[in-house]
Amino acid sequence: MKEKNETIFRSGYVAIVGKPNVGKSTLMNTFLDQKLSIVSPRPQTTRNRVLGIANDENYQMIFLDTPGMMDPRYELQQVMLKTTEETLKEADIILCMIDAGGTSPLDETVFKKVMKSSRPKFLAINKIDLVQKKSLLPMIDTLNKNLDFEAIIPISALKKDGCEDLFKNLLEKLPEGDPLYPQDAITDEPERFFVAEIIRETIFIQYGEEIPYATAVRIEKFQERPDQKDYILAIIYIERDSQKAILIGKKGRAIKKLGQSSREQIENFLDRPIFLDLQVRTKKKWRKKPSIIKGLGY
Ligand code: GDP
Ligand code: MG
């Protein structure tokens, strides 16, 4: 006789929330075994909610990677915070993340928001590869006393430690139901979104200071051409002419380097060769202007 629970299909949304830089995007990529969300050592790399789907015979777990929660200082950050708060409402399960190095007032703000939800909530303590194991028990104890999580699970998203256990815990709480997306889909965003994100990630890696934060990338053309490589025109928006000069660099060297390494990674992602055209435009104070922010897809 067939066991009853063998035939149950589970599907639903898991929102990954937490302050910037705790490893939300890294964890989603680990769960999906694919690099979907961009990651950088600097906070506030993720600006949109990025959806990633883990498919299996018996489940479809849909992860929502969110921008980090923070005290918004400019319009773009306000939009990022709103995205996160809306994502919390959509979710069937909330996965909150903190850093094993310790909690801060910002984590408390996140806890407060998360605890308002009636959905099952889990807490992942990430980056345990960076701390002594013995520091974890007292930390888990204190958190358990003060907060109402289904479970608190120590992990290293980077070293893929504890992630399977966490996944199993999430799966147990996933609602029963039919798949919500095609079962071969990994995301709901079109290729051009990821192409823009890869360029943005490369900017985060290549340039210092305020440049990455003052930058937005829009794919203006994405043409498939018979017997030729795909043509992609990406516009990089920046806030000041002085930043534009830095982006381009002496004799165009910096932008050339950016183009080369972005192209390699885009080709890797798309699994086909492309021709990448990068152009830089100044849009004064775009981060403070709601209409521009919207036009750029945030
Ligand atoms: P997010 O802002 O929460 O999405 O964080 P990211 O996923 O972009 O990660 C921020 C930084 O922390 C990156 O440099 C990651 O490589 C690093 N990171 C993420 N998870 C771990 C981990 O488990 N261990 C260590 N040592 N670093 C991690
Ligand atoms: Mg992120």
Side-chain angles (χ1 to χ4, degrees):
M1 217 171 73
K2 222 176 181 185
E3 290 235 5
K4 205 180 156 204
N5 60 5
E6 264 182 54
T7 55
I8 291 177
F9 194 93
R10 295 180 184 278
S11 67
Y13 292 94
V14 178
I16 309 177
V17 298
K19 71 178 175 190
N21 232 26
V22 289
K24 298 178 292 298
S25 299
T26 305
L27 179 62
M28 184 168 89
N29 292 341
T30 293
F31 278 149
L32 301 179
D33 210 13
Q34 177 159 22
K35 200 177 145 200
L36 204 56
S37 220
I38 68 172
V39 170
S40 96
R42 285 194 270 168
Q44 296 169 43
T45 312
T46 310
R47 285 181 188 158
N48 307 68
R49 136 192 159 319
V50 181
L51 183 148
I53 307 171
N55 285 300
D56 185 86
E57 266 175 45
N58 301 313
Y59 62 79
Q60 180 169 75
M61 198 179 304
I62 305 153
F63 292 100
L64 302 167
D65 181 18
T66 61
M69 287 190 184
M70 67 231 133
D71 296 320
R73 274 179 298 147
Y74 44 84
E75 180 71 22
L76 176 64
Q77 290 187 334
Q78 257 166 41
V79 174
M80 286 159 67
L81 189 64
K82 210 168 141 238
T83 301
T84 301
E85 289 180 344
E86 275 163 12
T87 305
L88 273 178
K89 287 184 217 148
E90 278 178 79
D92 296 297
I93 299 173
I94 296 169
L95 173 56
C96 193
M97 280 179 87
I98 58 170
D99 194 307
T103 52
S104 69
L106 201 49
D107 292 303
E108 303 294 334
T109 315
V110 176
F111 291 150
K112 249 187 227 148
K113 289 218 163 84
V114 165
M115 284 304 154
K116 278 189 200 147
S117 164
S118 57
R119 301 293 157 87
K121 299 170 271 287
F122 290 87
L123 180 66
I125 304 181
N126 191 31
K127 308 197 189 184
I128 56 167
D129 53 296
L130 297 179
V131 300
Q132 298 222 306
K133 285 270 181 310
K134 62 173 192 261
S135 73
L136 288 172
L137 275 179
M139 187 175 183
I140 293 173
D141 253 9
T142 315
L143 290 162
N144 251 329
K145 265 182 210 132
N146 299 317
L147 298 158
D148 182 26
F149 286 107
E150 301 280 338
I152 299 178
I153 298 162
I155 61 161
S156 168
L158 192 66
K159 312 267 183 209
K160 307 187 198 304
D161 192 9
C163 298
E164 254 178 68
D165 182 35
L166 174 58
F167 193 93
K168 274 186 203 147
N169 273 272
L170 297 172
L171 191 55
E172 277 173 21
K173 291 286 169 187
L174 206 64
E176 285 181 38
D178 293 331
L180 302 163
Y181 291 85
Q183 280 174 283
D184 57 355
I186 53 157
T187 185
D188 64 340
E189 297 280 0
E191 279 178 343
R192 61 169 67 208
F193 169 79
F194 293 100
V195 169
E197 287 288 279
I198 290 168
I199 297 169
R200 233 163 45 72
E201 179 180 57
T202 314
I203 292 170
F204 261 94
I205 293 164
Q206 189 177 320
Y207 298 90
E209 308 287 315
E210 89 275 81
I211 296 280
Y213 299 102
T215 298
V217 178
R218 199 163 65 88
I219 306 302
E220 198 152 289
K221 282 199 187 128
F222 197 136
Q223 293 171 332
E224 287 177 27
R225 304 180 297 186
D227 306 320
Q228 275 187 78
K229 295 175 185 176
D230 286 6
Y231 172 80
I232 300 176
L233 170 61
I235 311 291
I236 301 171
Y237 290 101
I238 193 90
E239 292 194 311
R240 291 198 305 269
D241 287 336
S242 57
Q243 295 167 331
K244 183 173 170 177
I246 297 171
L247 257 175
I248 292 170
K250 261 202 196 109
K251 294 191 177 152
R253 269 188 226 125
I255 190 99
K256 192 169 169 210
K257 184 169 161 224
L258 175 67
Q260 245 160 17
S261 60
S262 303
R263 180 180 50 76
E264 280 164 20
Q265 290 177 72
I266 294 166
E267 288 181 338
N268 225 334
F269 180 77
L270 297 176
D271 210 16
R272 59 177 191 267
I274 56 149
F275 184 93
L276 179 64
D277 196 356
L278 292 182
Q279 290 178 17
V280 186
R281 275 182 215 160
T282 307
K283 243 189 213 296
K284 293 218 160 63
K285 296 188 180 163
W286 69 264
R287 280 182 293 175
K288 295 200 170 83
K289 294 176 182 160
S291 63
I292 297 182
I293 291 169
K294 208 156 167 251
L296 287 169
Y298 295 117

